């Protein structure tokens, strides 16, 4: 059993705290937000995450998980402090580190015994050194400490499983002794542990997220070419993925990536490159393709409906991906905003994200389920690939709509079946339809060559 303090009870903090408690450690989770801490004490979770509530309850009951807003209380017996505060996007795309600074200052002012300070939030390369300086400068009297970078790789919706079964743990520190102690905390997870220096660990996190975002933009570019040439990107991705050097993950084409990490991490990495005189042309293309994908939804609607002013569009899903209520940088926000600029009326349904959406989106009518959503819509757009949308009674959906236009932003339906049912259906990169010959291929000159 180790005494651990976790600063911040957002996605990363609460999952880290609950999982380390479940491994038998004693955790004090601190947040400066009194309401979140009061709620946690009453069993109300700060986020929607499958399996979290029961894990928190179990560990609170066992006396291994405590909540506080007081740094004095949280650090009293702690040996390890995990910084898990938000690092939102700043003005030029660089990460905003004010919360990391606040956490580091507070830790420095209160610590009265040696500590290992571990950074879990995604922070620009060099932040570990910066945190060490802040702690040193803000200590009332010198007390020993080390800084370790241990970036999180937790996907929302599967964060607990990702924590307990990681592909790897990355640890960066200038102190091998501190890195070893943090490595020991992770031994029960039985995953490879990569030990390196602070800056390299910080870069591993950015490079990993940027690479995954690149895969998504890559397959979206291929999807757009597939559409022009009459090939099916889903089958292309499947065929590519069997190559062990490629794999099947993160090759789902559609409306593009969103969320609290990929958009800001790619932008922050590009910003770091630029500030240091490098030209991040690949990262820029990744971002450009992603922005374009969101707007392609609008173009597809215009192709089918013409003028969008006065039309009613139903958004199926608002969260940036399924199994979360998170709408940070969700494609739904961009699509809704643009549709409203064009004068369309918006209806929306999401199984869990409507409360969150209601706080930031205006002039939207929320529906009670997908069937209710379809009522009177001139078009439906699949924005989030929730499972409950995959096997709907599409006949009932179509009958409820004013016009049977369906734009499938996540490629969850079978194009042939949807068209047979009478939908005007468009997806992303699914040009091939077994009833048609691929549009415009071979081009006329090639066709003549082939014949001769
Ligand atoms: C964060 C980072 O933004 C991201 O870069 C990283 O990779 C994962 O961690 P998340 O856990 O989703 O993401 O953050 P958020 O949901 O914003 O939660 C942060 C929590 O820290 C909030 O509850 C906030 O109240 C708390 N906080 C913030 C503090 O306790 N102290 C502070 O000084 C600032
Ligand atoms: C991400 C990282 O995967 C995780 O390691 C951590 O660093 C936090 O950030 P998260 O943002 O929760 O996790 O979701 P993720 O599953 O990675 O999906 C990100 C976005 O990409 C979603 O909008 C998703 O819909 C989209 N996506 C994902 C695609 O468009 N296509 C794909 O093939 C995969």
């Amino acid at each position: 059993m180790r005494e651990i303090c976790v600063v911040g009870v957002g996605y990363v903090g609460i999952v880290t705290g609950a999982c380390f408690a479940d491994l038998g450690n004693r955790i004090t989770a601190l947040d400066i937000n009194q309401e979140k801490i009061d709620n946690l004490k009453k069993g109300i979770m700060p986020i929607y995450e499958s399996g979290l509530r029961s894990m928190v309850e179990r560990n609170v009951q066992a006396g291994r998980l405590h909540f506080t807003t007081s740094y004095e209380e949280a650090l009293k017996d702690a040996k390890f402090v995990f910084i898990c505060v938000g690092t939102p996007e700043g003005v030029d795309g660089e990460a905003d580190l004010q919360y990391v600074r606040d956490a580091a200052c507070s830790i420095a002012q209160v610590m009265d015994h040696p500590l290992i300070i571990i950074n879990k939030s995604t922070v620009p390369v060099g932040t570990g050194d910066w945190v060490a300086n802040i702690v040193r400068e803000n200590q009332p009297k010198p007390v020993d400490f080390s800084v370790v970078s241990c970036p999180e790789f937790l996907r929302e919706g599967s964060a607990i499983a990702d924590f307990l079964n990681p592909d790897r743990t990355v640890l960066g520190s200038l102190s091998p002794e501190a890195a070893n102690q943090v490595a020991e905390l992770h031994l029960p997870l039985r995953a490879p542990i990569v030990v390196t220096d602070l800056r390299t660990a910080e870069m591993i996190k950015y490079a990993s997220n940027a690479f995954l975002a690149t895969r998504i933009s890559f397959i979206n570019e291929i999807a757009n070419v597939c559409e022009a040439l009459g090939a099916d990107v889903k089958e292309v991705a499947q065929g590519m993925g069997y190559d062990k050097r490629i794999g099947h993950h993160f090759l789902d084409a559609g409306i593009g990536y969103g969320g609290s990490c990929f958009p800001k991490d790619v932008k922050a990495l590009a910003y770091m490159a630029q500030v240091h005189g490098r030209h991040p042309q690949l990262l820029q293309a990744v971002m450009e393709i992603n922005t374009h994908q969101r707007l392609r939804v609008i173009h597809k609607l215009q192709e089918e409906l013409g003028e969008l002013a006065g039309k009613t569009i139903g958004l199926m899903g608002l969260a940036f991906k399924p199994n979360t209520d998170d709408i940070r940088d969700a494609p739904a926000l961009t699509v809704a905003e643009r549709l409203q600029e064009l004068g369309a009326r918006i209806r929306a349904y999401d199984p869990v994200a409507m409360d969150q959406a209601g706080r930031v989106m205006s002039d939207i009518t929320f529906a009670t389920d997908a069937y209710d959503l379809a009522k009177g819509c001139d078009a439906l757009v699949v924005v989030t690939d929730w499972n409950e949308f995959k096997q709907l009674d599409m006949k009932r959906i179509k009958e409820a709509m004013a016009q049977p236009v369906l734009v499938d932003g996540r490629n969850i339906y079978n194009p042939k079946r949807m068209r047979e049912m009478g939908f005007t259906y468009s997806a992303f990169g699914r040009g091939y339809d077994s009833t048609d010959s691929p549009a415009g291929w071979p081009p006329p000159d090639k066709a003549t060559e082939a014949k001769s």
Side-chain angles (χ1 to χ4, degrees):
M1 188 200 77
R2 273 101 170 166
E3 295 280 349
I4 298 172
C5 164
V6 171
V7 179
V9 296
Y11 270 95
V12 174
I14 189 65
V15 170
T16 301
C19 289
F20 271 130
D22 218 46
L23 292 173
N25 299 291
R26 204 183 118 90
I27 311 294
T28 307
L30 173 148
D31 203 290
I32 53 167
N33 184 323
Q34 184 74 50
E35 194 187 344
K36 286 191 187 183
I37 293 300
D38 291 344
N39 280 340
L40 274 165
K41 286 181 177 170
K42 287 185 234 153
I44 303 169
M45 296 301 110
I47 54 163
Y48 173 90
E49 185 67 33
S50 161
L52 179 66
R53 180 197 298 270
S54 55
M55 187 182 259
V56 168
E57 278 171 6
R58 181 164 73 237
N59 286 286
V60 167
Q61 270 161 21
R64 288 191 296 261
L65 183 55
H66 306 266
F67 304 106
T68 184
T69 53
S70 154
Y71 272 94
E72 283 83 358
E73 189 185 332
L75 295 183
K76 197 166 152 284
D77 302 309
K79 189 168 176 198
F80 302 92
V81 189
F82 282 89
I83 298 183
C84 304
V85 298
T87 51
E89 194 179 311
V91 267
D92 297 318
E94 91 272 42
D96 179 349
L97 290 178
Q98 61 164 317
Y99 303 126
V100 176
R101 179 200 293 274
D102 292 349
C105 283
S106 303
I107 293 167
Q109 281 155 11
V110 168
M111 66 186 283
D112 58 6
H113 59 273
L115 279 180
I116 297 180
I117 300 168
I118 306 142
N119 215 342
K120 261 221 166 290
S121 304
T122 307
V123 288
V125 177
T127 301
D129 299 327
W130 178 77
V131 164
N133 283 337
I134 291 177
V135 174
R136 216 170 285 120
E137 284 163 12
N138 286 277
Q139 285 179 328
K141 60 176 187 342
V143 182
D144 227 22
F145 71 95
S146 310
V147 174
V148 175
S149 163
C150 175
E152 56 87 13
F153 298 101
L154 308 175
R155 284 166 301 174
E156 292 180 21
S158 58
I160 290 180
D162 287 348
F163 187 97
L164 295 174
N165 306 291
D167 290 337
R168 78 312 205 180
T169 298
V170 173
L171 297 176
S173 182
L174 301 178
S175 155
E177 169 53 24
N180 276 341
Q181 292 193 45
V182 181
E184 268 176 39
L185 279 183
H186 291 84
L187 286 182
L189 305 178
R190 302 162 74 115
I193 298 179
V194 178
V195 179
T196 179
D197 62 86
L198 267 174
R199 284 170 184 250
T200 304
E202 290 163 345
M203 184 51 114
I204 288 172
K205 173 59 197 273
Y206 275 107
S208 301
N209 274 4
F211 182 72
L212 292 169
T214 303
R215 279 178 73 103
I216 298 170
S217 281
F218 175 83
I219 202 66
N220 280 330
E221 180 146 304
I222 295 297
N224 295 338
V225 182
C226 282
E227 232 168 85
L229 298 178
D232 184 335
V233 74
K234 271 191 112 146
E235 291 177 20
V236 170
Q238 198 185 5
M240 287 166 62
Y242 286 116
D243 186 326
K244 291 195 185 64
R245 296 169 299 175
I246 297 175
H248 286 103
H249 299 295
F250 282 76
L251 287 179
D252 289 331
I255 199 168
Y257 61 78
S260 68
C261 289
F262 284 3
K264 86 169 162 53
D265 292 350
V266 178
K267 221 181 263 180
L269 183 54
Y271 178 83
M272 282 184 267
Q274 251 156 357
V275 164
H276 291 91
R278 305 300 196 271
H279 178 36
Q281 50 198 336
L282 178 58
L283 299 177
Q284 269 154 3
V286 168
M287 292 188 278
E288 203 179 299
I289 292 167
N290 200 55
T291 305
H292 181 68
Q293 291 306 105
R294 294 182 181 193
L295 298 179
R296 289 199 69 226
V297 170
I298 312 288
H299 299 152
K300 283 173 184 287
L301 287 169
Q302 285 167 326
E303 264 167 34
E304 304 305 343
L305 297 173
E307 184 77 35
L308 295 179
K311 300 283 185 340
T312 302
I313 312 293
L315 303 183
M316 295 171 69
L318 294 165
F320 80 98
K321 66 175 210 175
N323 308 319
T324 176
D325 65 349
D326 198 342
I327 55 156
R328 287 181 280 181
D329 214 333
L333 302 180
T334 317
V335 171
E337 195 181 292
R338 187 69 194 120
L339 285 173
Q340 284 176 335
E341 280 166 11
L342 293 169
R345 275 191 296 268
I346 313 238
R347 291 167 59 77
Y349 166 70
D350 188 288
V352 300
M354 290 193 291
D355 279 353
Q356 296 290 345
R359 292 183 198 158
V360 293
M361 299 168 93
S362 50
D363 296 327
I364 293 193
T365 311
F366 291 112
T368 50
D369 60 21
Y371 301 105
D372 180 38
L373 173 71
K375 285 181 192 155
C377 280
D378 294 295
L380 285 175
V381 180
V382 180
V383 183
T384 315
D385 40 342
W386 283 97
N387 268 343
E388 69 171 65
F389 296 151
K390 291 179 183 166
Q391 291 190 328
L392 290 167
D393 177 350
M394 295 306 282
K395 191 163 167 279
R396 200 174 142 200
I397 295 278
K398 185 172 158 257
E399 278 161 8
M401 296 176 74
Q403 301 191 60
V405 173
L406 181 56
V407 175
D408 185 353
R410 298 291 183 175
N411 287 350
I412 61 174
Y413 297 120
N414 179 310
K416 187 162 175 270
R417 206 168 305 138
M418 290 302 118
R419 286 183 193 126
E420 278 169 2
M421 287 186 78
F423 280 102
T424 306
Y425 174 83
S426 68
F428 282 74
R430 309 206 62 193
Y432 180 74
D433 180 332
S434 58
T435 56
D436 300 334
S437 58
W441 189 264
D445 55 333
K446 291 269 188 285
T448 325
E449 271 171 36
K451 269 188 213 146
S452 59

